[in-house]
Amino acid sequence: MNPETCPCASGKIYAECCEPLHLGHASPRTATQLMRARYAAYALALVDYLHDTAGPRVQKEFDAANTKTWSQSATWTGLDIVKETLGGPGDETGVVEFIAHYTVKEKPFDHHEVAKFEKRDGVWVFMDGRILGTDPLRREAPKVGRNDPCPCSSGKKFKKCCAGKTPE
């Protein structure tokens, strides 16, 4: 990626895209524009911008030090806007589904979220988000402990029976 290109993946030059928003010279016109600016703020570790563009509940829970440390530990590799619902210049609310791509210690991650935005005093703010993705795997049967009877009905403890065997 060209170092002048905005991290928000708009394809525009940073100085003409998110930088005016980050510097407070302009306000986002849409929920998606704020979403892109917030992604770029993560990529650039601009935690004050992240705090200032959040709603009251998010601001109350915001941990600037941890956010900065985490955002600097990642290499931000792209943003995909999946779906936009409302969030235009004439709207008061909007929802943006997005996938933020980043790597940590060379391991790639895709953060898939549905983010809710609202206009407060005419300015877009991030209100809440719901992370999407697969649910954790859940066991259908209870876990067998080392000292439990083996489920194969041998009468031996699990550790002395099937626990040491590898499936064929």
Side-chain angles (χ1 to χ4, degrees), residues 139 141-152 157-159 162-163:
R139 298 179 196 277
K143 181 178 178 181
V144 179
R146 292 174 30 92
N147 291 315
D148 290 340
C150 191
C152 76
K157 289 185 177 184
F158 181 59
K159 68 182 177 185
C162 293

Side-chain angles (χ1 to χ4, degrees), residues 53-131:
T53 58
R57 186 184 60 77
V58 176
Q59 284 183 345
K60 184 178 178 184
E61 298 171 1
F62 192 78
D63 182 337
N66 281 337
T67 299
K68 185 168 189 155
T69 300
W70 179 77
S71 70
Q72 290 174 327
S73 74
T75 300
W76 300 85
T77 56
L79 175 68
D80 296 325
I81 303 298
V82 177
K83 184 178 177 182
E84 304 166 75
T85 306
L86 299 173
D91 295 319
E92 295 297 315
T93 62
V95 176
V96 180
E97 180 180 345
F98 68 93
I99 303 172
H101 306 284
Y102 62 96
T103 60
V104 175
K105 296 181 182 176
E106 299 182 23
K107 182 177 179 186
F109 292 93
D110 296 322
H111 175 86
H112 192 175
E113 182 175 322
V114 174
K116 295 179 183 177
F117 297 87
E118 194 175 287
K119 270 190 187 170
R120 293 279 173 112
D121 299 321
V123 178
W124 284 106
V125 295
F126 168 72
M127 297 302 290
D128 196 11
R130 181 174 50 91
I131 298 171

